[in-house]
Amino acid sequence: MRRSRKAAAVIMAGVMAASAAGCSGSGSGAGNGASGDKTYKVGICQLVQHDALDAATKGFMDALKEELGDSVTFDEQNAQGDSNTCSTIINNFVSGDVDLILANATPALQAAQAGTTEIPILGTSVTEYGVALGIDNFSGTVGGNISGTSDLAPLDEQAAMLKELFPDAEKVGLLYCSAEANSQYQVDTVKAALEGMGYTCEYYSFSDSNDLATVATKAVEASDVIYVPTDNTAAAAAETVDNICRPAKVPVIAGEEGICRGCGVATLSISYYDLGVGTGKMAAKILKGEADISQMPIEYAPKFTKKYNKPICDDLGIQIPDGYVAIE
C-alpha cells in the first residue's frame, strides 16, 4: 500500500512538472521556457526612409534591446511615404497581436490611433500631438493607449536663427507639404514670429513629392530665404530642394538636421537617435508593467543644437557666426 501511494505521488509530480513546462512556452507575453522571462513582439511603422526617422527607429530598438535583451523582437515596416500603407501595416500589427506599436511620424501615429484602442502606441518624430490627433487644448498627456516623444524644436528660436543669419533679407518663403498637419502648424508659428521681426512671409505648399519641384521653383523666384519645417516629404526629397535653391543662391533654413544636411545652410535641431532612445525607455516601462501609458505625458528632446552645413554655406559664401556646430 505504501509503495502504491509513493508511486502515485511520483506520477502526480511528473504530471504537474510536465504541465508547468507546457505553460512556459514562448510567444507574445509568455515565458520563454529557459529563464521564465516574458517575450514581447513590437511592431514598428515608419512613414518613410530618411535620416531623421531612421535614427529615431534605431535609437528606439537599441534602447529596448538594452532594457529587455533577447526577450523583445521587432516587426519593422516602412510605408514608403504612403499614409494608406501605414493603415495596412497597423492593421497587420493588430491582427498579429503585437504587444506594442511604435508609430514613427505623424501619419503613422494617426493610422495607429484609428487602428486600435487596446494595444499601447508610442509615437516618435511627431511634432505636436494635439494637432496630429485632433485634440483641442492639448494638455501634454494624450490618455488612453497613446503616448510618445515629440521632435518639436523651439520654433521662435528657429525664426531668431534666420534673423541672426539673414538680417537684411526681406521675403521668406515657407516651403512645406500640405498633407502633413504638423508642417502647417510649424510654418504658421514661424510665420507669426518672422512677421513680428519685420519679414514678409509667403506660404508655398506642395501636396506630395510630385509637385515639390514646381512649388520650390516658385518659392525661390520670389524669396530671399526659404524656411523648410520638420517635414517628412521634404526630408525624403531634400536633394530636389537643393538642386533648385542652391543654383539660385537662395539659402534654406531647415527644421531638422536631416533636411539641413540635404539642402539647408543651418538648423536648430535635436538628436533623433536620442529621441528614439527616450521612446524605447518609455516602451520598456510599459511592457514591464512599470508605467500606465494613459498617464504618461509626451516627452520632449532635452537638448537643441545650432548646426550648419559647411559645403552649402561655402558654395553660397555664407559666414556662420560662432556657436554653430558643423554637420558631419
Side-chain angles (χ1 to χ4, degrees):
M1 193 70 168
R2 291 178 180 173
R3 289 182 181 176
S4 177
R5 288 177 178 173
K6 184 175 181 180
V10 170
I11 293 171
M12 183 59 70
V15 170
M16 292 175 66
S19 177
C23 291
S24 64
S26 62
S28 179
N32 63 17
S35 63
D37 294 332
K38 289 183 177 180
T39 58
Y40 306 95
K41 186 176 181 180
V42 174
I44 298 174
C45 178
Q46 180 174 318
L47 173 64
V48 68
Q49 184 176 4
H50 66 70
D51 290 347
L53 300 191
D54 292 349
T57 292
K58 186 176 189 308
F60 175 81
M61 295 174 67
D62 287 351
L64 253 189
K65 285 186 286 188
E66 183 174 343
E67 292 279 348
L68 300 177
D70 293 337
S71 64
V72 62
T73 59
F74 301 97
D75 184 354
E76 186 179 357
Q77 300 291 327
N78 193 298
Q80 304 300 325
D82 189 333
S83 298
N84 292 327
T85 303
C86 286
S87 297
T88 300
I89 292 169
I90 295 299
N91 290 336
N92 288 337
F93 288 162
V94 173
S95 63
D97 197 27
V98 298
D99 295 293
L100 183 141
I101 293 171
L102 174 71
N104 192 346
T106 297
L109 179 66
Q110 292 169 332
Q113 179 194 36
T116 178
T117 59
E118 301 296 329
I119 298 172
I121 299 166
L122 287 176
T124 193
S125 312
V126 175
T127 304
E128 170 55 52
Y129 280 74
V131 173
L133 301 178
I135 303 172
D136 294 331
N137 301 316
F138 180 57
S139 65
T141 301
V142 176
N145 65 322
I146 299 175
S147 188
T149 57
S150 168
D151 61 0
L152 180 63
L155 297 174
D156 57 339
E157 293 184 27
Q158 289 188 358
M161 172 184 286
L162 189 151
K163 177 71 172 179
E164 177 184 33
L165 296 177
F166 306 106
D168 297 328
E170 296 179 357
K171 298 178 181 180
V172 178
L174 307 169
L175 182 66
Y176 67 101
C177 180
S178 58
E180 298 193 30
N182 273 317
S183 294
Q184 185 71 61
Y185 168 79
Q186 290 173 81
V187 294
D188 286 347
T189 304
V190 169
K191 180 176 184 286
L194 289 173
E195 288 179 342
M197 299 174 186
Y199 292 97
T200 298
C201 299
E202 187 69 35
Y203 292 120
Y204 294 93
S205 64
F206 53 92
S207 58
D208 54 37
S209 59
N210 293 322
D211 63 343
L212 171 57
T214 300
V215 174
T217 299
K218 292 179 180 179
V220 164
E221 291 172 349
S223 307
D224 302 314
V225 182
I226 300 293
Y227 173 77
V228 178
T230 301
D231 184 292
N232 293 296
T233 308
E239 183 178 357
T240 299
V241 177
D242 186 49
N243 288 339
I244 294 168
C245 293
R246 200 184 327 187
K249 304 297 183 182
V250 176
V252 175
I253 296 294
E256 58 91 9
E257 183 176 335
I259 297 174
C260 191
R261 180 181 288 108
C263 65
V265 297
T267 182
L268 178 67
S269 190
I270 66 170
S271 165
Y272 276 82
Y273 179 84
D274 290 346
L275 194 71
V277 168
T279 318
K281 290 180 178 178
M282 294 175 74
K285 291 178 182 178
I286 293 165
L287 292 173
K288 292 190 290 186
E290 297 174 355
D292 179 353
I293 191 170
S294 69
Q295 299 178 14
M296 299 177 77
I298 301 303
E299 296 186 6
Y300 295 82
K303 182 181 179 182
F304 305 94
T305 304
K306 287 182 175 181
K307 293 192 173 183
Y308 74 101
N309 186 327
K310 188 177 187 306
I312 294 182
C313 287
D314 289 346
D315 280 354
L316 299 183
I318 296 172
Q319 297 294 319
I320 298 296
D322 293 340
Y324 287 72
V325 177
I327 295 174
E328 298 179 357

